Amino acid sequence: MKALGYRKRSEIGMRCEKGCSHEASCIATVPVFNGMSEDDLQVLQKVTKRRRFQKGEFIFQEGERSEGLFVVNEGLIKLTKLSAEGKAQIVRLLFPGEFFGLFSLLRDENHYVHAEVVGQTVICSIDKKDFLKTMEANSGLSFRFLIALSDRLYEADESVGFLSLLEVEQRLARALILFHEKMKAQNGTFTLPISKKDLASFIGTTPESVSRKLLIFISQKLIRFDGRRQIKILELDQLKQLAEIN
């Protein structure tokens, strides 16, 4: 997998939105920016760039230098690590309103994961210099980012237990509940946002095992497929009980 610089990738696969407008929607959906004054928000919006990526493109790759903070405005991002044999492991999925790249930005270190676009996605970016300047001038924002980083560490610790202590069907149930929540399912129905191969990578199993467990969930009337990737959760409480979610 050949690494490409961010500017180079923008030339070959990324196009600016119409008028390059720095829309408020780029940061309005990010909880960590809640509580900022209108003046601070306007300053941040002026230095926010909004660009569209196509499926399979990389926002950045492991080993590249950090150039700013990134926010998912539309679509889905998967953060992956590669083994020495080239096998990819999904370590995190990022949905609209979630940010990434902060750890590398604050520590001035290279990225330790690949950030790949799953489908057509709109990403907002704030240049490192502009972002750090805003952080320095806003103690409340700095504090909220510290809390956000603490939450990320907690989620990372929980993820380790998630993969090592739970059975495959429990991990799959948790993934389906996550998609149900993040995709804002209507009447319990959502479109599976990733392939079965990626779903298997996300929960640490094989695509064949995912297929078998989904069939079991169907036979137990926990879920139903309405089309190839449309899933309807029929018994959310039972699925949560299986996933050991209170």
Short mmCIF file of all heavy atoms in Angstrom, two decimals, residues 43-67:
data_model
loop_
_atom_site.label_atom_id
_atom_site.label_comp_id
_atom_site.label_asym_id
_atom_site.label_seq_id
_atom_site.Cartn_x
_atom_site.Cartn_y
_atom_site.Cartn_z
N VAL A 43 -14.85 32.26 13.81
CA VAL A 43 -13.41 32.19 13.51
C VAL A 43 -13.04 30.80 13.03
O VAL A 43 -12.30 30.63 12.05
CB VAL A 43 -12.58 32.56 14.77
CG1 VAL A 43 -11.11 32.24 14.55
CG2 VAL A 43 -12.74 34.04 15.10
N LEU A 44 -13.57 29.79 13.72
CA LEU A 44 -13.27 28.40 13.36
C LEU A 44 -13.84 28.05 11.99
O LEU A 44 -13.19 27.36 11.19
CB LEU A 44 -13.83 27.47 14.44
CG LEU A 44 -13.16 26.11 14.62
CD1 LEU A 44 -11.67 26.27 14.87
CD2 LEU A 44 -13.80 25.35 15.77
N GLN A 45 -15.04 28.54 11.72
CA GLN A 45 -15.67 28.25 10.43
C GLN A 45 -14.87 28.84 9.27
O GLN A 45 -14.79 28.25 8.19
CB GLN A 45 -17.10 28.80 10.41
CG GLN A 45 -18.06 28.01 11.30
CD GLN A 45 -19.36 28.75 11.57
OE1 GLN A 45 -19.72 29.66 10.82
NE2 GLN A 45 -20.05 28.38 12.63
N LYS A 46 -14.26 29.98 9.48
CA LYS A 46 -13.50 30.64 8.42
C LYS A 46 -12.25 29.85 8.01
O LYS A 46 -11.77 30.00 6.89
CB LYS A 46 -13.10 32.05 8.87
CG LYS A 46 -14.27 33.03 8.92
CD LYS A 46 -13.82 34.40 9.40
CE LYS A 46 -14.98 35.37 9.46
NZ LYS A 46 -14.57 36.70 9.98
N VAL A 47 -11.73 29.04 8.92
CA VAL A 47 -10.51 28.27 8.61
C VAL A 47 -10.83 26.79 8.39
O VAL A 47 -9.93 25.96 8.35
CB VAL A 47 -9.46 28.43 9.72
CG1 VAL A 47 -9.00 29.87 9.81
CG2 VAL A 47 -10.00 27.95 11.08
N THR A 48 -12.12 26.47 8.27
CA THR A 48 -12.54 25.09 8.04
C THR A 48 -12.72 24.83 6.55
O THR A 48 -13.38 25.59 5.86
CB THR A 48 -13.86 24.79 8.77
OG1 THR A 48 -13.67 24.98 10.18
CG2 THR A 48 -14.31 23.36 8.52
N LYS A 49 -12.09 23.77 6.06
CA LYS A 49 -12.21 23.39 4.66
C LYS A 49 -13.06 22.14 4.54
O LYS A 49 -12.92 21.20 5.33
CB LYS A 49 -10.81 23.13 4.06
CG LYS A 49 -9.90 24.35 4.13
CD LYS A 49 -8.50 24.01 3.63
CE LYS A 49 -7.58 25.21 3.76
NZ LYS A 49 -6.20 24.88 3.33
N ARG A 50 -13.93 22.12 3.56
CA ARG A 50 -14.86 21.00 3.37
C ARG A 50 -14.62 20.38 2.01
O ARG A 50 -14.73 21.05 0.99
CB ARG A 50 -16.30 21.52 3.49
CG ARG A 50 -17.39 20.46 3.43
CD ARG A 50 -18.74 21.11 3.70
NE ARG A 50 -19.83 20.16 3.74
CZ ARG A 50 -20.59 19.85 2.70
NH1 ARG A 50 -20.37 20.43 1.53
NH2 ARG A 50 -21.56 18.97 2.80
N ARG A 51 -14.28 19.09 1.99
CA ARG A 51 -13.97 18.42 0.73
C ARG A 51 -14.63 17.04 0.68
O ARG A 51 -14.88 16.42 1.70
CB ARG A 51 -12.46 18.28 0.54
CG ARG A 51 -11.74 19.61 0.35
CD ARG A 51 -10.29 19.38 -0.02
NE ARG A 51 -9.64 20.62 -0.42
CZ ARG A 51 -8.90 21.38 0.38
NH1 ARG A 51 -8.74 21.02 1.64
NH2 ARG A 51 -8.34 22.47 -0.05
N ARG A 52 -14.86 16.60 -0.54
CA ARG A 52 -15.52 15.32 -0.75
C ARG A 52 -14.50 14.27 -1.20
O ARG A 52 -13.66 14.53 -2.07
CB ARG A 52 -16.62 15.46 -1.81
CG ARG A 52 -17.46 14.20 -2.01
CD ARG A 52 -18.58 14.44 -3.01
NE ARG A 52 -19.49 15.48 -2.55
CZ ARG A 52 -20.49 15.27 -1.70
NH1 ARG A 52 -20.70 14.07 -1.21
NH2 ARG A 52 -21.27 16.26 -1.33
N PHE A 53 -14.59 13.08 -0.61
CA PHE A 53 -13.74 11.95 -0.96
C PHE A 53 -14.61 10.83 -1.55
O PHE A 53 -15.78 10.69 -1.20
CB PHE A 53 -13.01 11.40 0.28
CG PHE A 53 -11.90 12.29 0.79
CD1 PHE A 53 -12.20 13.40 1.57
CD2 PHE A 53 -10.58 12.01 0.50
CE1 PHE A 53 -11.19 14.21 2.04
CE2 PHE A 53 -9.57 12.81 0.97
CZ PHE A 53 -9.87 13.91 1.75
N GLN A 54 -14.01 10.03 -2.39
CA GLN A 54 -14.69 8.88 -2.98
C GLN A 54 -14.26 7.59 -2.27
O GLN A 54 -13.21 7.54 -1.62
CB GLN A 54 -14.39 8.78 -4.48
CG GLN A 54 -14.78 10.02 -5.28
CD GLN A 54 -16.25 10.35 -5.17
OE1 GLN A 54 -17.09 9.45 -5.20
NE2 GLN A 54 -16.58 11.63 -5.07
N LYS A 55 -15.06 6.57 -2.39
CA LYS A 55 -14.79 5.28 -1.75
C LYS A 55 -13.37 4.79 -2.05
O LYS A 55 -12.93 4.82 -3.19
CB LYS A 55 -15.80 4.24 -2.24
CG LYS A 55 -15.61 2.86 -1.65
CD LYS A 55 -16.66 1.90 -2.18
CE LYS A 55 -16.45 0.50 -1.59
NZ LYS A 55 -17.47 -0.46 -2.08
N GLY A 56 -12.67 4.37 -1.02
CA GLY A 56 -11.33 3.81 -1.18
C GLY A 56 -10.20 4.81 -1.06
O GLY A 56 -9.03 4.40 -0.97
N GLU A 57 -10.52 6.11 -1.02
CA GLU A 57 -9.46 7.11 -0.86
C GLU A 57 -9.03 7.18 0.60
O GLU A 57 -9.76 6.81 1.51
CB GLU A 57 -9.95 8.48 -1.33
CG GLU A 57 -10.11 8.59 -2.83
CD GLU A 57 -10.36 10.02 -3.26
OE1 GLU A 57 -11.50 10.49 -3.09
OE2 GLU A 57 -9.42 10.66 -3.74
N PHE A 58 -7.82 7.67 0.81
CA PHE A 58 -7.28 7.82 2.15
C PHE A 58 -7.22 9.29 2.53
O PHE A 58 -6.75 10.13 1.76
CB PHE A 58 -5.88 7.22 2.25
CG PHE A 58 -5.85 5.72 2.18
CD1 PHE A 58 -5.72 5.07 0.96
CD2 PHE A 58 -5.98 4.96 3.33
CE1 PHE A 58 -5.72 3.70 0.89
CE2 PHE A 58 -5.97 3.58 3.27
CZ PHE A 58 -5.84 2.94 2.04
N ILE A 59 -7.68 9.60 3.74
CA ILE A 59 -7.50 10.94 4.29
C ILE A 59 -6.03 11.10 4.67
O ILE A 59 -5.40 12.11 4.40
CB ILE A 59 -8.38 11.17 5.54
CG1 ILE A 59 -9.83 10.73 5.27
CG2 ILE A 59 -8.33 12.63 5.97
CD1 ILE A 59 -10.49 11.43 4.12
N PHE A 60 -5.50 10.08 5.32
CA PHE A 60 -4.07 9.99 5.59
C PHE A 60 -3.73 8.52 5.79
O PHE A 60 -4.61 7.67 5.94
CB PHE A 60 -3.65 10.82 6.82
CG PHE A 60 -4.41 10.51 8.08
CD1 PHE A 60 -4.20 9.34 8.80
CD2 PHE A 60 -5.35 11.41 8.58
CE1 PHE A 60 -4.89 9.06 9.96
CE2 PHE A 60 -6.06 11.15 9.74
CZ PHE A 60 -5.82 9.98 10.43
N GLN A 61 -2.44 8.23 5.76
CA GLN A 61 -1.99 6.85 5.98
C GLN A 61 -0.96 6.80 7.08
O GLN A 61 -0.34 7.82 7.45
CB GLN A 61 -1.43 6.27 4.67
CG GLN A 61 -2.52 6.08 3.61
CD GLN A 61 -2.01 5.36 2.38
OE1 GLN A 61 -1.39 5.96 1.51
NE2 GLN A 61 -2.28 4.07 2.31
N GLU A 62 -0.79 5.62 7.63
CA GLU A 62 0.14 5.42 8.74
C GLU A 62 1.54 5.90 8.34
O GLU A 62 2.03 5.63 7.26
CB GLU A 62 0.18 3.93 9.11
CG GLU A 62 1.04 3.62 10.32
CD GLU A 62 0.99 2.16 10.71
OE1 GLU A 62 0.23 1.39 10.08
OE2 GLU A 62 1.72 1.78 11.64
N GLY A 63 2.15 6.66 9.25
CA GLY A 63 3.50 7.15 9.00
C GLY A 63 3.55 8.55 8.42
O GLY A 63 4.62 9.16 8.40
N GLU A 64 2.40 9.09 7.97
CA GLU A 64 2.39 10.44 7.43
C GLU A 64 2.34 11.46 8.56
O GLU A 64 1.89 11.17 9.67
CB GLU A 64 1.19 10.63 6.50
CG GLU A 64 1.27 9.83 5.23
CD GLU A 64 0.10 10.09 4.29
OE1 GLU A 64 -0.89 10.73 4.72
OE2 GLU A 64 0.18 9.63 3.15
N ARG A 65 2.80 12.66 8.26
CA ARG A 65 2.77 13.74 9.23
C ARG A 65 1.35 14.30 9.38
O ARG A 65 0.57 14.31 8.43
CB ARG A 65 3.70 14.87 8.80
CG ARG A 65 5.16 14.49 8.72
CD ARG A 65 5.74 14.16 10.08
NE ARG A 65 5.79 15.31 10.97
CZ ARG A 65 6.16 15.22 12.25
NH1 ARG A 65 6.48 14.04 12.77
NH2 ARG A 65 6.21 16.30 13.01
N SER A 66 1.04 14.76 10.57
CA SER A 66 -0.26 15.34 10.81
C SER A 66 -0.31 16.77 10.28
O SER A 66 0.64 17.53 10.45
CB SER A 66 -0.56 15.33 12.32
OG SER A 66 -1.81 15.91 12.57
N GLU A 67 -1.42 17.10 9.65
CA GLU A 67 -1.57 18.45 9.09
C GLU A 67 -2.80 19.17 9.63
O GLU A 67 -3.04 20.32 9.25
CB GLU A 67 -1.64 18.38 7.56
CG GLU A 67 -0.37 17.82 6.95
CD GLU A 67 -0.38 17.91 5.44
OE1 GLU A 67 -0.97 18.84 4.89
OE2 GLU A 67 0.20 17.02 4.82
#
